[in-house]
Amino acid sequence: MNGVDDRDRVRYRRAHLADLESIERLENEVFSDTTYQYTILRQLFDLHGKQWLIAELDGEVIGHALMLEKAGRALLASLAVTAKCRSQGFGRSLLVKILEICVEANIDVVELTVRPTNEPARKLFSSLGFEVITHDDQYFGPDHPRFVMECVLAQWSGREG
């Protein structure tokens, strides 16, 4: 992986059922404390597969983003990039593509959660217009605190920070 050249070769597409094993591996790599089991991923795919983006490089899933939408609001349920591809702009590209999809779908607000200790992710989200709206010490249960952040899409308007 060599950065700029790889960004030009990455393909962003909707998820397929066959991607779930790669997504599960990626979830386990990135979110060791709060991963989705395959059974949950399958159910999420059945309900929200059209709202799931894959970043693929040379036929390999290197990232994914899952957006869940209801009544003009969306939750970015997961955004993950494999360790070997981090800090190369793939996460930013995935997030921008999800926000563009939300704008096209007339979604007003996108919400997400992030570990308070995950400074790189918080900086990325902030650079694209997300603001911390609350802190929950037990968002995913004891010892799993999260910042809840949101982006009002009327104020986002495609900026890439």
Side-chain angles (χ1 to χ4, degrees), residues 3 9 12-13 20 47 51-52 75 93 101 111-112 117 136 143 147:
R9 294 185 4 245
Y12 297 94
R13 61 170 175 79
L20 292 185
L47 291 173
Q51 301 166 330
W52 210 328
L75 171 67
S93 295
I101 289 169
E111 188 175 287
L112 58 81
T117 58
D136 187 330
D143 300 320
F147 284 119

Side-chain angles (χ1 to χ4, degrees), residues 46-69:
D46 287 347
L47 291 173
H48 302 283
K50 292 180 182 176
Q51 301 166 330
W52 210 328
L53 286 182
I54 297 294
E56 187 176 66
L57 182 63
D58 298 331
E60 177 186 353
V61 173
I62 62 163
H64 79 100
L66 172 60
M67 183 261 299
L68 311 174
E69 183 271 331

Side-chain angles (χ1 to χ4, degrees), residues 12-148:
Y12 297 94
R13 61 170 175 79
R14 303 293 180 166
H16 302 134
L17 185 57
D19 295 319
L20 292 185
E21 288 181 31
S22 296
I23 291 169
E24 182 182 34
R25 277 193 301 277
L26 183 56
E27 285 285 316
N28 286 326
E29 173 191 329
V30 175
F31 305 113
S32 59
D33 64 339
T34 56
T35 61
Y36 291 115
Q37 296 176 337
Y38 185 90
T39 53
I40 298 300
L41 292 172
R42 173 56 196 251
Q43 292 171 331
L44 286 168
F45 180 82
D46 287 347
L47 291 173
H48 302 283
K50 292 180 182 176
Q51 301 166 330
W52 210 328
L53 286 182
I54 297 294
E56 187 176 66
L57 182 63
D58 298 331
E60 177 186 353
V61 173
I62 62 163
H64 79 100
L66 172 60
M67 183 261 299
L68 311 174
E69 183 271 331
K70 182 178 179 182
R73 291 185 65 87
L75 171 67
L76 183 62
S78 187
L79 174 72
V81 174
T82 190
K84 67 182 177 183
C85 293
R86 285 194 203 123
S87 301
Q88 297 179 44
F90 298 118
R92 172 177 288 278
S93 295
L94 267 170
L95 183 54
V96 167
K97 289 189 181 307
I98 282 288
L99 293 174
E100 289 170 348
I101 289 169
C102 289
V103 167
E104 291 170 11
N106 295 315
I107 292 170
D108 300 316
V109 176
V110 178
E111 188 175 287
L112 58 81
T113 66
V114 62
R115 283 185 205 101
T117 58
N118 190 344
E119 190 64 27
R122 285 180 39 220
K123 284 182 180 179
L124 169 64
F125 300 140
S126 293
S127 75
L128 288 170
F130 284 85
E131 296 180 1
V132 174
I133 57 170
T134 191
H135 178 267
D136 187 330
D137 284 330
Q138 297 188 36
Y139 189 90
F140 287 121
D143 300 320
H144 294 285
R146 294 295 185 269
F147 284 119
V148 178

